[in-house]
Amino acid sequence: MGRGNIYRRRVRIFSMAVIVYLDYKSVQQREKWTSKSKQSALWEKAHERNARRVLNLMIELEGLWVKLGQYLSTRADVLPAAYIRLLKQLQDALPPRPLEEIYGTIQKELGKSMDELFANFIDEPLATASIAQVHRATLLNGQEVVVKVQHDGIKTVILEDLKSAKSIIDWIAWAEPQYNFNPMIDEWCREAPKELDFNQEAENTRKVAKNLGCRDQYDINMNANRVDVLIPDVIQSTEKVLVLEYMDGIRLNDSEALEAFGVNKQKIVEEITRAYSHQIYVDGFFNGDPHPGNFLVSKESPHRPILLDFGLTKKLTTTIKQALAKMFLASAEGDHVALLSAFAEMGLKFRLDLPEQAMEVTTVFFRATTPANESYKTMKELTDQRVKNMKVIQEKMNLDQKEMKRFNPVDAFPGDIIIFGRVLNLLRGLSSTMNVRIVYLDIMRPFAESVLSGYINRGPSVNSRWIFDTPVHSDVEAKLRQLLIELGSNDKILGIQVCAYKDGEVIIDTAAGVLGKYDPRPVQPDSLFPVFSATKGIAAGMLHWLVDNGKLKLDENVANIWPAFGSNGKDAIKVHHVLNHTSGLHNAMADMNQENPLLMLDWDQCLDRICRSAPETEPGKEQLYHYLSFGWLCGGIIEHASGKKFQEILEEAIVRPLHIEGELYIGIPPGVESRLAALTVDKDELSKLSGLTSRSDLPSTFQPQQIVQSATSFTPLLNALQVRRAIIPAANGHVSARALARYYAALADGGKIPQPHSSASEPSLGSHPHNPEFSAPKITANERGWRPKRMTIPLINRTNDSEDLEANRDGFTRIPTTDSSSNYSSFNSSSNVDRDSRTHSSTKIFDNPRIIDQFLGTGEYKNFALPSGGFGLGFKRFSSIDGPTLVFGHSGMGGSTGFCDVTNNFSIAVTLNKVAIGAVTARIVHLVCSELNIPVPADFTRFAAAPRGPDSESNYASPIIN
């Protein structure tokens, strides 16, 4: 192709693009002056006129433009009928190339004359497409074949057309920014040239046929995910000629023949969809060009799809394949966390934190197909929804029309998902063309599940990387890893972290398993696990920190700090009653939990519910576990005593001093979803609690039967994004074991901050800096009057709303809110620091030399706790069967725990995502303590061997009920 031809070709392309663009713009203007009854006809004429222009140009230019036309002709679900009707001609009915050209290419490529190659060669082509022409022939041995011959000079044409297409897309993106298709054209520029080598196509054909098992369809070992399709055998190939087995079939656009042969179109399209599901999710290698011209239906019964043309294929990495499967399943389950995590894994980045819209878009992406006659209604609904979504963004970001027109919420769009999306859209168009309805969620789900479960269920016995590759710190850690492998092989562990400190130094830091049932990525040291009531030990530490700072007194009436709390007989409740679980408010939140668990996501409503509650027992007289109310009681006291948000005190008191940034949250911020472990339930283990009797030390609303029911039924809810982002101080901590162990290592040593964590662990502890922003809580003037010297709430002048739109380190733009219950707002935490607060030494988080007595409610603090009670002041007292030791901490439902042994300066944390009765944790603690010659806390001895005897019931129940 000479330069003159290239120039003329580009002029024709750009001229047509401008003509079509201006035509539609003029129709937009004319529509304003046209009656509604005539508007439809106005647009139909415009579509017919422009579709014919586009068709004629594509036939004239051939090459890439035919390929584009073939793609567009399949999109009956989005394009006007005129385009579909006219562009269908491009699927296989282009003007044939001269026979002299065909013969010349064959003889040059195969090195023999036509007579030496074929007993018969039919000059009339079966089809002429964008890149090649196909003829039927008979080999000298009598085998019937088809010969695919590449058009002469097509490679140069395709490459030049890609440049022109890229220029047009750039122009469209400039003129109409909301239609920026650059990611698509960029990926096409990378992939399209691969179609020009028929040797590669031959290899692709063999590979897909092998993956789909096309030659052993009736193997007795057929499983549910096998597909019933045919693919021709490859006979011979060169760069420009491909000889394939001939298969007699019916074209998908031949409706009369399909009907005459009694072909079930629904079944055919379903089987094609299953074949692509297998290629994408199971094989990670798929044909990227499923337009109707690339399929036939076998004439003999049972009628099966015949898959053709594997020139454009895409290979997925294991990570991307799993991420696509995870994205699909997250959409099916409505799991925002898993969806955002899948996006992060595949490299899809958003500029905004709007998970609801992300789920909405993905659900649309995987929606069921609609027949062509319903496409207009479907597209109108999708367009209306898109306009609505963009309006939400515009209002929240305070953008004008011009800014909004050029705003793109997607920051990075990976090429893998573009080809995947193209395939899904082509299949959707195929369904519309065939006038059938395909429910992708039903057809694709088994394939997506199989690829993830295939990686998850292999376990440590066959997965050498089941234990994450980090250094072994000690002999006891080496033995622990062997135990974890044993437990994992017996399906007792899904994902787990264990970290332990001895004398201020890390001796164990191990991560193993996978992040979730549908998340085969390995657990890493910085993964975040939900730890339920283990969070109570953190909330208690925050309260003690305020006492240590002089902001609070243990014997102070809560109502003095929090005036609204004093109603309904609660005026005598003191701070130490709350910490010691003796306030009488053990059932305070039970009605909310039964009414609607999602109400617990509203911070203000929960605090109000606490204020309106009434004690059931006299304060200080009876210790009953405050399983939910403890967190809200602590949270209300913390905010009212400090004048700051709960999470701000968490950062100031614990996270920053211990250098555990990014690995300890109560209510996760946006941007950490990819590090979250997902919960699943060990139903076999939990069933052991089903027949247990009531326990006197637990509230009436928190007995074994109710715990089992909660653990089983609420697990999906606890995996939900809106729950994980909520501040639920008693039950919603998301931590790594190394962060939790470091916290208890500091407590064990009287608040002394341990030495820096081992730099050998990757990523290093605290390497996820996150600077959350908080607004001060609402405090009335009367409340301020109670504590003028302990509380300072600086005023912040906001003169420019645009300053509220601030990009954080996680890559999202935070949308400002005036909702007081919001976890994150536009106030910077550093500006809210109490200027009067006492600054601690950089080596300690507590200054009180008797702080451990304070935690345990012993020594001079013994009057603040019940002597025989299981709880000190906010922490569970762990007794030892081997002698007196000072051990305290807190476990969570399902097995996660954190505690320290003060006597032996030892601390340990275990985080796991398989909710059970605590047997795994108990065996780990027993092993570690035994190896270190440290007394094993009685709470963890009961599972060293199978429980037996009259106390076996309570042995099973205790670990989960903490």
Side-chain angles (χ1 to χ4, degrees), residues 62 95-102 125 128 130 133 135 151-152 154:
E62 297 183 343
R97 290 299 181 103
L99 283 174
E100 292 80 5
E101 178 186 316
I102 299 300
T128 302
S130 57
Q133 189 160 296
H135 290 261
H151 300 324
D152 189 33
I154 194 64

Side-chain angles (χ1 to χ4, degrees), residues 48 145 153 226 237 363 396 416 459 472-473 532 592 596 629 646 708 905 945:
E48 180 79 23
V145 297
R226 288 286 293 276
S237 71
T363 303
K396 288 191 173 184
D416 295 305
V472 177
H473 296 78
F532 300 107
M592 176 180 282
N596 181 1
S629 55
F646 177 89
V708 174
N905 198 2

Side-chain angles (χ1 to χ4, degrees), residues 89-149:
Q89 300 175 38
L90 298 171
Q91 289 179 10
D92 55 19
L94 291 174
R97 290 299 181 103
L99 283 174
E100 292 80 5
E101 178 186 316
I102 299 300
Y103 289 165
T105 300
I106 292 173
Q107 292 174 148
K108 181 180 179 181
E109 288 290 305
L110 299 181
K112 295 181 180 179
S113 67
M114 297 295 288
D115 292 338
E116 293 176 296
L117 293 168
F118 306 106
N120 184 34
F121 188 91
I122 299 176
D123 292 342
E124 183 72 22
L126 288 173
T128 302
S130 57
I131 290 176
Q133 189 160 296
V134 181
H135 290 261
R136 188 172 173 182
T138 306
L139 298 179
L140 296 179
N141 64 5
Q143 183 177 4
E144 300 248 355
V145 297
V146 293
V147 184
K148 183 175 180 180
V149 185

